[in-house]
Every structure is written in structure tokens, then in C-alpha cells.
DNA sequence: GCCAACGTTGGC
DNA sequence: GCCAACGTTGGC
């Protein structure tokens, strides 16, 4: 079982949307590094930190679980979608998706600033290579993050 | 809205 | 295959 961090823009689709629909296709990935991780390493049962980016409060908002293998992202074939890719074709799809299911919304968002200020998380991909939209998370990093979230819970 | 970091494209 | 130009991401 692997741990990941998936980025979303809460204005488009955030943890609350996932909590409401329980399960959703994670689509629109248009970066090769992220695509390769989805294709080669993400498997059913993997745990995912849902991260909110490009918004007022950036940080980790909750947890989801991978519930399908990678399959072609249908948006790449839809001319009306902003994720349409004219260079892709159904017999040789370029982009893929997985489905994820809602697990938990944190009582409080864990801000990026808190993650950056924790020396135990210095090596996180989020800190070192912030732009990648699908990121591997080490088991140890996952633990540290959950501990930070749980401390916040106790304060609440 | 600015800007740094990074990814992609395309000419050569 | 290099590299300059350009586009995008995303924190602040």
C-alpha cells in the first residue's frame, strides 16, 4: 500500500465536494510525471492526502482512497472540455485517471505553512517540488502529518 | 497581481 | 539533442 498527495483546486473540486459525492473520477492530469506515477505506481487501496491549492487557505484538507486502477481519462477525447487533447486518440490514449473515494475531512485544514515549518517534513515532495500534482508520500511523512492533524483535533 | 520555478514547444 | 522562448502553476 502506498501513500500519495493529490492536488485539487477547491473552487473546482475540493474535499467538501468529495464528501458529498463520496466517490469521484480524478481527471484532468496533464503532466507526464504525474501521469507516470498514476500509471505505474498507484494501485487500489492506496491512501491519498487531498491537498487544496491555488486558493485562500492552501494545505491538506483530508484523506481519500484509490478505488480503481488507472484508465483513460475521457476528457481528453471531449472537444468541449478544457482538458481536450487533439493529439490523443482512443486507441492510443495519452492521459489517465483513477477513481477515489472519500475517507475523511480533517476538522481543520493543515496549512502548507505548518508543513513547511516542520523539520520532519523537509524532504516532502510538496516542499521540494511543489508543482507536481500527484506526489508520493513516505509512510513516515504520512504519520507525521496525521500526528499534526490529531494535535489540532485535541486543541479544538 | 506578481513572480519564481518548472514544463513544453519548436527551430536549428 | 540543445536551448531559447513561451506557457503554466501556485504560493504569497
Amino acid at each position: 500500500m502506498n501513500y500519495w498527495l493529490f492536488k485539487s483546486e477547491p473552487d473546482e473540486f475540493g474535499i467538501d465536494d468529495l464528501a458529498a459525492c463520496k466517490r469521484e473520477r480524478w481527471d484532468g492530469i496533464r503532466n507526464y510525471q504525474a501521469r507516470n506515477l498514476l500509471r505505474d505506481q498507484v494501485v487500489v487501496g492506496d491512501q491519498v492526502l487531498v491537498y487544496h491549492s491555488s486558493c485562500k487557505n492552501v494545505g491538506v484538507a483530508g484523506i481519500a482512497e484509490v478505488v480503481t486502477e488507472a484508465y483513460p481519462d475521457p476528457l481528453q477525447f471531449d472537444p468541449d472540455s478544457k482538458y481536450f487533447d487533439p493529439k490523443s486518440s482512443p486507441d492510443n490514449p495519452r492521459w489517465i485517471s483513477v477513481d477515489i473515494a472519500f475517507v475523511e475531512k480533517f476538522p481543520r485544514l493543515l496549512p502548507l505553512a505548518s508543513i513547511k515549518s516542520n523539520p520532519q517534513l523537509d524532504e516532502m515532495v510538496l516542499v521540494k517540488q511543489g508543482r507536481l500534482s500527484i506526489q508520493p508520500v513516505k509512510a513516515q511523512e504520512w504519520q507525521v502529518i496525521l500526528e499534526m492533524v490529531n494535535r489540532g483535533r485535541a486543541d479544538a
Side-chain angles (χ1 to χ4, degrees):
Chain A
M1 212 255 306
N2 311 300
Y3 297 108
W4 304 97
L5 181 147
F6 287 10
K7 281 192 198 165
S8 72
E9 299 192 12
D11 294 345
E12 302 240 335
F13 187 87
I15 194 75
D16 290 327
D17 301 294
L18 185 62
C21 69
K22 298 297 179 199
R23 180 183 164 135
E24 185 63 299
R25 184 178 68 228
W26 205 261
D27 52 26
I29 301 296
R30 296 293 180 271
N31 166 285
Y32 288 104
Q33 213 179 334
R35 192 273 313 263
N36 294 346
L37 289 170
L38 273 184
R39 184 188 59 196
D40 304 333
Q41 295 188 44
V42 174
V43 296
V44 174
D46 283 358
Q47 300 294 111
V48 175
L49 296 173
V50 177
Y51 178 85
H52 285 176
S53 75
S54 299
C55 58
K56 195 152 180 259
N57 300 306
V58 295
V60 180
I63 297 176
E65 180 175 333
V66 176
V67 291
T68 68
E69 291 178 24
Y71 60 92
D73 180 349
L75 300 182
Q76 69 196 306
F77 310 125
D78 176 2
D80 296 327
S81 167
K82 70 171 178 175
Y83 296 113
F84 178 62
D85 184 347
K87 293 180 190 158
S88 188
S89 65
D91 42 318
N92 189 15
R94 177 177 293 194
W95 305 112
I96 53 179
S97 298
V98 296
D99 288 1
I100 62 169
F102 177 74
V103 173
E104 178 186 3
K105 179 188 176 183
F106 296 154
R108 284 195 232 158
L109 179 119
L110 180 65
L112 176 62
S114 303
I115 291 171
K116 282 183 172 170
S117 68
N118 187 332
Q120 290 178 279
L121 300 176
D122 278 351
E123 296 300 313
M124 265 194 92
V125 179
L126 187 65
V127 176
K128 305 216 110 179
Q129 196 188 346
R131 287 185 51 177
L132 190 58
S133 55
I134 303 278
Q135 310 184 353
V137 174
K138 296 196 190 85
Q140 170 218 344
E141 293 163 348
W142 179 277
Q143 295 284 231
V144 170
I145 283 178
L146 287 203
E147 277 166 27
M148 293 175 86
V149 168
N150 285 329
R151 269 201 299 277
R153 229 188 282 269
D155 294 343

